[in-house]
Amino acid sequence: MTPELPSGLDLTLDQLDRDGALREAAARLPRTRFLAAAAGAAAAFGVLASPARAAVSRGDVAILNYALSLEYLQAAFYTETERVGAITGKAARATRVVGAVERAHVDAFRKLLGVQAVKQPSFDFRGTTEDQLAFLKTAVAFEDLAVAAYKGQAHLIEADAVLAAAVAIHSVEARHAAWMRHLFGIRPAAQAFDEAKPKAEILKTVRSTRFVAARTRTKGGGAPRFTG
Amino acid sequence: MRNLSLRVLDDAAAAGAVRAEPSLTRSRLLQHAFVGGGAVVAGGVLLGGLPALAPAARSKEQDVRILNLVLLLEELKAAFYAAAEAGGALRGELAEFARIVGEHERAHVAYLRKALGDQAEAKPSFDFGNTTGDRDRFAATAAMLEDTAVAGYNGQAANLTKPVLKAAATIVSVEARHAAWIRDMVGQPAAPDATDKPATDRQVQQAIARTGFVTR
């Protein structure tokens, strides 16, 4: 049932400015809602921040970084979509609301992981943030993927506080998946049981989108071959 | 500590208020039922429930108690959707929702009964009053029940043994999908918060009792 991820157009976009994105979201969302989302995420992990952080095992850190990577992807996708401004109607509202929530998830995981947090990669969404149909299709795929990903990790998490946070986010991703499916016009709950997917399969799917852009690198100090 | 999903339950008091007050208008009804969807969300409330999840030691006995609790939720919902379907008052997508979601809940009941074997508690009797005969009451009640199920499953995650947690995880997200579906269908926020607040077993039991649906 999960639609295939579109391969899309070739379009390179600037790396996201997360702080700017947050300010923008704050300006557009009802203030109470935004603050609630932000505070809520902070509070979730505030529970963990001081006493429990030391207790988070290496395995849990890996799981949290995996979750953070997926949240980076989602947050960047919705933030860029909102910025481009090509999506209209109910989907535009969903973009704002879901985007703010994904950014709150990113912030929460980063806060929890501290210096152990993986860095945000560059993304190239290949035109999917500029077209209503491609956007919805991609959003459905991402949300369904996130649900399967969290589900695949829940039983592997060691610390109860980390588990509590993960399950509280897992069901929100499922709500997003249903919401995007409804907007896309497909059944929000396709079957009685949602299957988990292992990390390797999720990462393979993410790689297949080519949304995670290779980092631009400058190597060596030699003179350029072509100077115009 | 007051938990948002329970506030929804309080206000809808699905059976109580809804049944006792037949003149309740659509907008008021939805307002009551979905009060959790908007500005009432305060930072502290949003994740206030999480620390309460400190689990009792995991055990097979505890798994059985928890699975019987979620079985009751699933029985309740399966019966609710069956009553709605039988009542024939729903049209269009709401009718489709009742049919599809009813199938899912019956599958969950069967799955949990099989897992529990002879330790499964008997199915109670239900009386849904007039909540299944009217589209607005149906929608408000369905959303409340689905939100409660999400909170109920989430609240038990840390109390389950790992194999049972793995199984429960395949169900809870489907309940969350149901909740978002019905909410979006009636123009309410499908995913109002950044995290779903958990409910303790006691809170779930109180929520069920408050509906007045279980007549036993």
Side-chain angles (χ1 to χ4, degrees):
Chain A
M1 277 306 282
T2 305
E4 271 177 44
L5 286 154
S7 53
L9 312 163
D10 273 339
L11 180 82
T12 307
L13 291 145
D14 295 334
Q15 189 166 353
L16 287 154
D17 167 5
R18 282 189 60 252
D19 290 340
L22 279 171
R23 270 198 296 279
E24 201 171 49
R28 288 187 196 184
L29 277 177
R31 191 173 160 75
T32 49
R33 169 72 65 75
F34 179 79
L35 291 176
F45 299 93
V47 172
L48 304 168
S50 37
R53 183 186 284 183
V56 174
S57 68
R58 193 174 295 185
D60 282 359
V61 166
I63 291 170
L64 287 165
N65 266 322
Y66 167 43
L68 173 60
S69 304
L70 295 176
E71 298 288 354
Y72 274 145
L73 179 72
Q74 288 185 305
F77 174 68
Y78 293 112
T79 302
E80 183 180 296
T81 300
E82 196 180 341
R83 241 183 222 180
V84 170
I87 307 304
T88 56
K90 288 178 176 178
R93 188 178 160 274
T95 300
R96 286 194 300 276
V97 173
V98 176
V101 167
E102 308 298 10
R103 288 190 292 272
H105 293 168
V106 165
D107 288 349
F109 284 127
R110 284 177 60 96
K111 194 164 284 179
L112 173 60
L113 283 158
V115 295
Q116 300 188 81
V118 291
K119 300 251 183 308
Q120 173 171 289
S122 303
F123 295 106
D124 175 357
F125 293 108
R126 297 172 186 277
T128 56
T129 57
E130 298 165 64
D131 172 86
Q132 190 93 2
L133 203 62
F135 163 75
L136 282 173
K137 224 172 150 178
T138 308
V140 166
F142 274 176
E143 298 295 348
D144 278 341
L145 198 72
V147 175
Y150 275 97
K151 200 187 309 297
Q153 301 301 307
H155 66 286
L156 303 172
I157 294 172
E158 291 168 52
D160 289 329
V162 175
L163 175 60
V167 298
I169 291 177
H170 168 237
S171 56
V172 170
E173 301 294 350
R175 287 175 186 266
H176 293 169
W179 193 2
M180 291 299 171
R181 284 174 158 265
H182 201 223
L183 290 169
F184 189 51
I186 59 175
R187 192 173 286 173
Q191 63 255 318
F193 300 89
D194 273 338
E195 296 215 356
K197 285 196 174 122
K199 188 174 172 181
E201 190 181 336
I202 298 282
L203 294 181
K204 196 176 158 195
T205 306
V206 170
R207 271 195 299 275
S208 75
T209 64
R210 296 184 295 135
F211 287 162
V212 182
R215 191 169 296 171
T216 313
R217 277 194 210 165
T218 306
K219 268 191 187 170
R225 276 185 218 154
F226 177 73
T227 55
Chain B
M1 179 176 318
R2 237 167 118 77
N3 163 312
L4 187 61
S5 58
L6 294 174
R7 180 202 288 272
V8 171
L9 288 164
D10 280 338
D11 291 350
V18 176
R19 267 195 238 163
E21 209 180 330
S23 62
L24 209 56
T25 64
R26 172 189 166 84
S27 61
R28 272 199 60 209
L29 185 67
L30 292 176
Q31 220 177 359
H32 275 259
F34 294 102
V35 65
V40 286
V41 183
V45 177
L46 205 60
L47 270 140
L50 287 188
L53 287 189
R58 300 178 178 99
S59 68
K60 281 212 166 124
E61 293 69 31
Q62 183 162 274
D63 282 350
V64 168
R65 280 199 302 277
I66 293 168
L67 289 182
N68 268 311
L69 176 67
V70 294
L71 172 62
L72 175 60
L73 275 172
E74 300 286 2
E75 294 271 26
L76 177 67
K77 292 197 296 161
F80 173 71
Y81 294 119
E85 254 193 289
L90 304 177
R91 297 281 175 272
E93 196 184 353
L94 273 180
E96 189 201 347
F97 174 85
R99 185 174 59 78
I100 302 293
V101 176
E103 271 173 29
H104 293 172
E105 310 305 10
R106 287 191 290 277
H108 296 166
V109 166
Y111 180 82
L112 292 169
R113 286 208 164 278
K114 194 176 171 196
L116 281 161
D118 59 9
Q119 300 191 82
E121 279 168 21
K123 181 182 170 181
S125 318
F126 299 108
D127 177 2
F128 297 104
N130 65 3
T131 54
T132 58
D134 166 287
R135 53 161 288 148
D136 297 332
R137 289 190 175 88
F138 167 79
T141 308
M144 179 272 291
L145 292 176
E146 298 296 345
D147 283 342
T148 303
V150 173
Y153 275 99
N154 277 354
Q156 295 305 323
N159 296 329
L160 293 167
T161 62
K162 297 300 181 182
V164 176
L165 170 62
K166 209 171 166 179
T170 66
I171 298 178
V172 62
S173 57
V174 175
E175 311 297 3
R177 287 171 186 269
H178 297 162
W181 186 3
I182 189 71
R183 281 170 161 270
D184 196 42
M185 215 188 302
V186 296
Q188 294 297 324
D193 303 315
T195 55
D196 275 325
K197 285 142 302 298
T200 64
D201 53 352
R202 181 185 291 262
Q203 287 170 324
V204 170
Q205 280 156 354
Q206 287 169 346
I208 293 172
R210 228 177 278 126
T211 65
F213 289 159
V214 182
T215 57
R216 189 76 58 168

